[in-house]
Amino acid sequence: MQVSSLNEVKIYSLSAGRSLPEWLSDRKKRALQKKNVDVRRRIELIQDFDMPTVSTKIKVSRDGQYIMAAGTYKPRIRCFDTYQLSLKFERCLDSEVVTFDILSDDYSKIVFLQCDRYVEFHSQHGRYYRTRIPKFGRDFSYHYPSCDLYFVGASAEVYRLNLEQGRYLNSLQTDASENNVCDINPIHCLFATGTAEGKVECWDPRTRNRVGVLDCALSSVTADTEIDGLPSISALKFNGALNMAVGTSTGQVLLYDLRSSNPLIVKDHQYGLPIKSIQFQDPLDLIISADSRIIKMWNKDTGKIFTSMEPEHDINDVCLYPNSGMLLTANEDPKMNIYYIPVLGPAPRWCSFLDNLTEELEENPESTVYDDYKFVTRRDLENLGLAHLIGSPLLRAYMHGFFMDIRLYHKVKMMVNPFAYEEYRKEKIRQKIEETRAQRVQLKKLPKVNKELALKLIEEEEEQQPTRKKKQKNLPNILTDDRFKVMFENPDFQVDEKSEEFRLLNPLVSKISEKRKKKLKILEQQEAQEQEEEEEP
């Protein structure tokens, strides 16, 4: 289990770690767990929570007991029972699933929209019915009061299939060339569809009339944004009776109040990738938006970032487990990710032990995700000759620099400056010798660094001693004060008298300073003679 932290928000990745192959016997699995520490420490929250190749969509049933995921290859649907923490059933399909929806509280009524224009209805036993829509579909929504399914896709029409009568009804005619996404408000049942031209059309299902149009493409372009083409709508989600969030193909998220045509806030993901999913987290007033690269959580009132996550593989879908802090993602990878964020809410009932586990981890903190990485700036990379690696997987962009593997950093450092260790070793030996010399009985000598400054301070102190009154407190001596000790030991603090700054501060060289320099030469000659006498035996 990996733990990362951003803005002091702990994120626990429960699916991190090695997964064991299915073909291994139980005996070999137990032996591997004894040998390998990583395998022993991993948390397998739900058994076999993965797909053969890629997972595309993931949803949770309304009763919270079942998690359903669609993926490939071969096209299939998997249902996981959270009460048993294992796979309940798996069904293979004829073609890939574009999207699906669970109509009942459990898994007994499911609708699949497939890439070959087919719509499949499944019940508990398996496939119940199969029909076809006229054009390729991209999304659909279910209108509960009238039992209508609204399909949008590569057409200007919105197809309506009534499940009570079992037939198609008159379709809705939009002004768009194509429709990408759609959603129905759960409170007043307003139907909204996002178009390829960057507009959102709202329809009233009772009268089958359009009641409003929002131009999101125009509102998403601000002074700071740079876009290559016309933004189309790629995600759409209602929250409550009045709020609606819209995601564009250029990476912006717009939050609307249905009473206004102007967005309340525009949030840019800064990656230029289409927004894949939008979720609302009402207890903390957060919006969870995701593109294929990053999941961002931000405040819907201020737009301030709460936290963010960057998985290793591209994201296809995000699902927030209801009334909890658990987040599920479908990725371009066999393994589906499970994240637990305690700040968002408690762990679900079926894995309540996670709360105790995270509390223990907080009491005994371990190494974080970035402990094996070195943070380097762009200038550091240029000095090391690694500027060509920017944009490659070896460097991970973060704030004003990059994270790189600490082993690679040390290896390159040794190649660039092979004698760095020898210099460091000599410096350490010199410091040790100086420490041992300091312990001996010494005569009063001038320091090795800033000798002239030290001589000046000694002369000033000698001059002040006869004039100082008895009642006056003794002022601290800079030479003996530990706070200024480094100034007379470290060569980096040597005063450069030839520098421009020194000349500006000391424009006239007095006769006193010339006398002091002569005195310094005499003292240095005496020190050299003493050293020769010491070295002779």
Side-chain angles (χ1 to χ4, degrees):
M1 182 169 69
Q2 281 185 347
V3 186
S4 58
S5 179
L6 182 68
N7 291 346
E8 297 182 357
V9 178
K10 289 281 183 72
I11 301 168
Y12 296 89
S13 178
L14 304 177
S15 53
R18 297 180 181 178
S19 56
L20 297 174
E22 293 179 6
W23 42 265
L24 276 182
S25 63
D26 293 339
R27 187 178 176 181
K28 285 185 178 179
K29 283 180 183 178
R30 284 194 297 270
L32 198 60
Q33 283 176 350
K34 287 178 184 177
K35 291 178 184 176
N36 199 321
V37 180
D38 294 337
V39 174
R40 191 164 61 247
R41 284 184 178 177
R42 74 196 175 97
I43 295 175
E44 194 173 21
L45 197 63
I46 299 172
Q47 192 178 359
D48 299 330
F49 194 67
D50 53 18
M51 281 285 168
T53 311
V54 170
S55 52
T56 53
K57 287 283 177 182
I58 187 164
K59 288 182 187 291
V60 179
S61 62
R62 284 204 297 273
D63 60 4
Q65 186 179 351
Y66 302 100
I67 299 171
M68 301 202 71
T72 57
Y73 179 81
K74 301 179 177 178
R76 67 191 65 212
I77 183 83
R78 283 183 173 177
C79 178
F80 300 91
D81 190 344
T82 57
Y83 291 2
Q84 303 296 327
L85 299 177
S86 61
L87 180 69
K88 187 168 182 68
F89 66 82
E90 178 186 38
R91 294 174 190 166
C92 287
L93 306 169
D94 293 341
S95 55
E96 291 182 19
V97 175
V98 177
T99 185
F100 71 94
D101 198 5
I102 306 167
L103 304 185
S104 59
D105 291 339
D106 55 3
Y107 67 93
S108 57
K109 291 178 184 176
I110 319 167
V111 182
F112 298 101
L113 176 63
Q114 297 176 344
C115 63
D116 57 354
R117 295 196 288 131
Y118 273 104
V119 181
E120 283 193 7
F121 299 89
H122 283 231
S123 61
Q124 286 173 322
H125 62 81
R127 190 169 78 186
Y128 177 77
Y129 187 71
R130 194 179 189 215
T131 185
R132 213 170 190 187
I133 54 174
K135 298 282 184 179
F136 290 98
R138 293 176 184 170
D139 197 9
F140 72 90
S141 292
Y142 183 60
H143 185 244
Y144 281 90
S146 63
C147 299
D148 286 348
L149 277 173
Y150 287 77
F151 294 96
V152 297
S155 169
E157 293 179 278
V158 179
Y159 303 111
R160 296 192 302 144
L161 176 62
N162 187 275
L163 301 186
E164 187 182 13
Q165 301 176 28
R167 65 187 183 91
Y168 282 101
L169 305 178
N170 292 334
S171 57
L172 308 176
Q173 190 69 39
T174 64
D175 293 337
S177 59
E178 293 178 347
N179 294 288
N180 295 330
V181 288
C182 64
D183 195 23
I184 292 177
N185 192 294
I187 296 173
H188 49 67
C189 298
L190 182 73
F191 173 75
T193 175
T195 68
E197 286 80 13
K199 295 182 180 180
V200 174
E201 295 190 14
C202 298
W203 294 71
D204 188 350
R206 297 169 298 181
T207 58
R208 298 185 295 282
N209 292 327
R210 185 168 52 232
V211 292
V213 178
L214 288 171
D215 193 348
C216 300
L218 189 64
S219 302
S220 67
V221 180
T222 58
D224 301 330
T225 54
E226 295 181 4
I227 54 169
D228 298 330
L230 182 70
S232 59
I233 308 302
S234 59
L236 188 66
K237 186 73 176 178
F238 280 106
N239 180 43
L242 297 173
N243 288 336
M244 178 179 69
V246 179
T248 65
S249 59
T250 51
Q252 289 87 27
V253 180
L254 299 90
L255 182 65
Y256 281 94
D257 188 309
L258 293 178
R259 296 168 292 186
S260 171
S261 59
N262 296 319
L264 299 173
I265 195 165
V266 179
K267 186 69 180 175
D268 196 344
H269 268 224
Q270 304 291 345
Y271 280 108
L273 300 170
I275 303 297
K276 293 283 186 84
S277 169
I278 299 174
Q279 304 283 333
F280 285 90
Q281 212 275 342
D282 292 324
L284 295 177
D285 291 332
L286 297 177
I287 293 178
I288 303 169
S289 54
D291 56 26
S292 59
R293 193 166 176 180
I294 192 169
I295 302 169
K296 285 194 176 184
M297 301 182 194
W298 46 279
N299 190 284
K300 67 179 182 182
D301 298 321
T302 61
K304 187 180 178 183
I305 282 289
F306 181 72
T307 188
S308 62
M309 292 176 285
E310 287 191 63
E312 293 181 14
H313 305 279
D314 287 352
I315 304 162
N316 287 328
D317 193 22
V318 177
C319 176
L320 181 66
Y321 195 93
N323 305 318
S324 77
M326 184 171 283
L327 205 67
L328 311 168
T329 64
N331 325 288
E332 290 288 324
D333 187 57
K335 190 183 286 185
M336 292 179 282
N337 289 339
I338 304 174
Y339 297 98
Y340 175 51
I341 308 164
V343 181
L344 296 185
R349 215 149 125 213
W350 48 273
C351 58
S352 55
F353 61 87
L354 284 177
D355 288 326
N356 300 329
L357 193 66
T358 51
E359 283 173 13
E360 287 176 14
L361 286 172
E362 284 177 6
E363 289 172 6
N364 304 315
E366 293 184 358
S367 61
T368 57
V369 175
Y370 295 120
D371 275 8
D372 296 332
Y373 290 81
K374 171 75 175 173
F375 181 80
V376 289
T377 60
R378 195 177 286 269
R379 186 177 291 176
D380 294 337
L381 289 173
E382 288 171 0
N383 293 339
L384 293 170
L386 297 177
H388 63 282
L389 292 180
I390 295 172
S392 69
L394 296 171
L395 295 177
R396 188 167 187 168
Y398 183 77
M399 293 176 71
H400 64 283
F402 305 89
F403 274 113
M404 68 183 295
D405 196 298
I406 193 75
R407 294 169 296 178
L408 176 64
Y409 175 78
H410 287 316
K411 199 176 283 184
V412 175
K413 190 87 173 170
M414 285 297 294
M415 291 169 68
V416 171
N417 191 2
F419 303 107
Y421 177 71
E422 285 298 322
E423 291 170 8
Y424 170 77
R425 186 167 164 272
K426 285 177 183 176
E427 183 64 25
K428 280 288 179 187
I429 291 167
R430 190 190 63 78
Q431 288 177 8
K432 286 283 182 187
I433 292 167
E434 291 292 333
E435 285 174 11
T436 53
R437 279 179 182 171
Q439 292 169 5
R440 299 174 189 169
V441 179
Q442 290 181 339
L443 297 171
K444 286 187 178 178
K445 290 184 180 179
L446 292 175
K448 288 192 175 182
V449 182
N450 288 326
K451 289 182 181 180
E452 192 173 346
L453 178 63
L455 190 62
K456 182 185 174 184
L457 292 168
I458 291 165
E459 287 176 359
E460 286 176 0
E461 191 180 2
E462 287 172 355
E463 286 173 8
Q464 287 175 3
Q465 273 178 358
T467 58
R468 193 176 291 164
K469 293 177 183 177
K470 290 182 180 178
K471 292 182 181 178
Q472 194 175 358
K473 290 182 180 178
N474 291 331
L475 294 170
N477 189 358
I478 294 177
L479 287 167
T480 56
D481 198 336
D482 289 339
R483 293 176 295 173
F484 304 101
K485 189 171 66 174
V486 186
M487 193 167 69
F488 301 102
E489 292 178 357
N490 195 339
D492 294 336
F493 291 96
Q494 176 68 46
V495 176
D496 186 9
E497 294 182 3
K498 295 179 181 178
S499 66
E500 192 68 30
E501 291 86 356
F502 185 82
R503 287 176 183 174
L504 290 170
L505 291 169
N506 303 283
L508 298 172
V509 180
S510 61
K511 291 181 180 179
I512 300 165
S513 60
E514 289 177 3
K515 286 179 183 178
R516 203 176 288 131
K517 284 180 181 177
K518 289 178 182 178
K519 196 175 180 181
L520 265 176
K521 286 181 181 177
I522 295 163
L523 286 169
E524 283 174 2
Q525 287 172 3
Q526 288 176 1
E527 282 181 10
Q529 285 175 3
E530 285 175 7
Q531 283 180 358
E532 285 175 5
E533 287 172 4
E534 285 178 5
E535 289 172 3
E536 274 177 10

